[in-house]
Amino acid sequence: MVFRIFRFRWFKRALALVLGVLLGVGAAQLVSLAQEAPTVWEVGTEPAFPPFEMRDDATGDLTGFDIELMRAIGKAAGREVKFISLPFDGLVPALQSRTIDAAISGMTITAERAQTVDFSRPYFEAGLAIAVRESNTDINSLEDLAGQRIAVQIGTTGAEQAAQVEGATVSTFDSAPLALQELLNGRVDAVINDLPVTLFAINEANLQGVKVVGELVTEEYYGIALPQDTEALAEINAAFDTLLQDGTYAEIYQRWFSADPPELPVVAPALAEAGTATGLVWGRLFQNLMRGAWITILLTAFSFFFGLIGGSLVAFAMISPIKPLHWLCRIYVDFFRGTPMLVQLFMIYFGLPALFQSLGFDFSFNRIFAAILALSLNVAAYLAEILRGGIQSIDRGQWEAGESLAMNPVETMRYVVFPQAFRRILPPLGNEFITLIKDTSLAAVIGFEELFRQGQLTVATTYRAFEVYLAVAIVYLVMTSLASFVFKRLEVYMDPINRPKKVKKDPIPSAVVV
Ligand code: ARG
């Protein structure tokens, strides 16, 4: 028995010592975090936007044009810069709530954003461009995109452009590389993204089979974003001016783009226009959330249904006497229970088509199919264990009882064992269902506009993170509460003692039956 080890006094002492040391170290770290020197600037960035921000494969550190520029600005201002990785659509809300001091993330200075955050003077001239597959000769300009499928990164100016294209189906992804992967995998016709980033992906990151068409859709300037009315703004602008004058800026620019930097304006032209940030319209939010909730319900229902079928098959295979089948199922269950659902979703949706295409097959997944497949496979693994446990918890005597009544094993399972096991299975089944409702939010990463994504999309244009996510949470809560209520009722119904008695053609009037 493993537990016998706990009887040794030395073991207990060693355990206490290790725990004590761990707690001590943890507490010290917390204290030092809380006392972070005020000279540090915490700068948010979404680090999947090469060549502006990315992770150096060799060292694992952040690198890129923005990162080097920000470090240089920090140095010139006498500040230490600490980068915080955040999703792009989370940067403005983080600035609003002042959880970060600044954000540098290839962020375009727009009049809408300028209503909620402040921008430094422009530090880079960029613009949006359209990318299509090399074989595509139909799309040559923004007009040609009408009615096409477009992938974009959520919360970007590219997403805003795509939303204005007539009749287009837009799918949003958490990062620009994922949107480009979607194009490569043939599930969309075009990507609207910042030109330098798309070019970098094609030329440096080996994104083959994709080309940029037409001319720049927009002219944009990147700026460092800050919370409104902070002193840091003047400090950053002053430091940036220093870098412009002493040639550091030109040197960094040259290193990343092998060219001389263009002349930069002092104020971004976009700020001259009056910004019309879309306010939060509650009616519209409600409508969008309901649309998302419907997709969440569909995803949950289908995945649970298929998961239940798959899980039952696996459960029976695991109690069957056929050993190889047993081992195969064990591997399946361990894999799907032991790896994050997010990884499984990415593997199936982005990985499999890429693999097949590299093998020369023209293969691509439908989004809904991939999501339901990934969710069902995952749920089935959990349900298999629940079902197996439930069935095996029924006393052997019940099988013998069935046999003595001349029932074959299938009949015994159907009439004797399963009905009893089912009652025990119900509570964990309910848990699994509720977990699944929440887990469907992961499908947002493959561009599914389910409930959570609908919230994210609203925040990306209104910057009202708290209200919107609270509304999203409430809708989830309503759904999970309903599910838990239904499972409770089912439990009562399945309980032979408390079940409301059914009266079949009884001579006694039913009112008399208690
Ligand atoms: N320039 C575009 C914008 O501001 C895209 C920026 C995306 N940046 C990023 N790190 N993912 O909307």
Side-chain angles (χ1 to χ4, degrees), residues 46 48 67 123 155 164 215 290 309 324 378 394 407 423 457:
E46 190 274 305
I67 304 296
Y123 71 84
Q164 284 161 19
E215 42 206 274
M290 284 305 111
I309 296 178
N378 186 281
I394 302 301
M407 286 182 173
R423 276 187 57 216
L457 287 168

Side-chain angles (χ1 to χ4, degrees), residues 222-476:
Y222 294 165
I224 300 170
L226 297 109
Q228 279 177 331
D229 304 315
T230 53
E231 281 156 28
L233 179 61
E235 279 182 65
I236 285 183
N237 277 336
F240 183 65
D241 284 341
T242 315
L243 301 183
L244 274 181
Q245 271 149 28
D246 71 8
T248 315
Y249 175 80
E251 186 257 313
I252 299 177
Y253 195 99
Q254 183 74 38
R255 194 137 36 81
W256 284 95
F257 300 102
S258 310
D260 288 330
E263 197 71 42
L264 290 169
V266 180
V267 179
L271 291 186
E273 307 158 14
T276 44
T278 23
L280 182 58
V281 183
W282 286 101
R284 196 167 330 133
L285 173 68
F286 182 75
Q287 245 177 20
N288 289 342
L289 291 191
M290 284 305 111
R291 204 172 322 137
W294 173 237
I295 296 186
T296 295
I297 291 172
L298 284 185
L299 275 180
T300 311
F302 277 107
S303 312
F304 199 71
F305 176 73
F306 291 122
L308 209 53
I309 296 178
S312 312
L313 293 179
V314 174
F316 287 126
M318 283 202 297
I319 43 185
S320 86
I322 310 167
K323 275 278 168 302
L325 203 60
H326 179 102
W327 290 122
L328 226 61
C329 291
R330 201 56 278 156
I331 293 173
Y332 163 75
V333 169
D334 284 345
F335 180 80
F336 280 92
R337 270 197 329 185
T339 54
M341 172 101 96
L342 197 56
V343 177
Q344 296 162 15
L345 206 57
F346 269 57
M347 248 175 65
I348 290 176
Y349 189 64
F350 293 109
L352 280 188
L355 174 74
F356 280 114
Q357 277 174 20
S358 70
L359 294 178
F361 297 103
D362 190 19
F363 171 87
S364 119
F365 260 140
N366 172 292
R367 197 193 308 279
I368 187 135
F369 181 73
I372 292 180
L373 180 67
L375 288 166
S376 309
L377 283 172
N378 186 281
V379 168
Y382 283 94
L383 291 187
E385 281 296 69
I386 293 175
L387 290 166
R388 182 191 60 78
I391 292 169
Q392 286 185 335
S393 76
I394 302 301
D395 192 65
R396 268 228 63 85
Q398 298 289 320
W399 287 95
E400 285 156 14
E403 215 172 305
S404 71
L405 288 174
M407 286 182 173
N408 64 30
V410 176
E411 284 170 336
T412 312
M413 179 59 109
R414 175 150 175 223
Y415 296 110
V416 181
V417 176
F418 192 73
Q420 298 181 67
F422 190 64
R423 276 187 57 216
R424 299 194 184 170
I425 291 167
L426 259 180
L429 217 55
N431 274 348
E432 217 31 64
F433 190 79
I434 288 172
T435 307
L436 180 62
I437 295 180
K438 296 181 292 174
D439 279 355
T440 53
S441 62
L442 289 174
V445 296
I446 60 169
F448 237 106
E449 291 182 11
E450 44 65 70
L451 182 51
F452 170 61
R453 189 54 142 213
Q454 288 288 357
Q456 270 185 310
L457 287 168
T458 308
V459 174
T461 54
T462 61
Y463 305 119
R464 297 276 287 273
F466 183 74
E467 297 96 316
V468 174
Y469 289 130
L470 182 66
V472 168
I474 290 173
V475 180
Y476 273 114

Side-chain angles (χ1 to χ4, degrees), residues 117-130:
V117 296
D118 283 349
F119 279 107
S120 70
R121 60 170 289 184
Y123 71 84
F124 191 88
E125 187 188 318
L128 295 174
I130 301 167

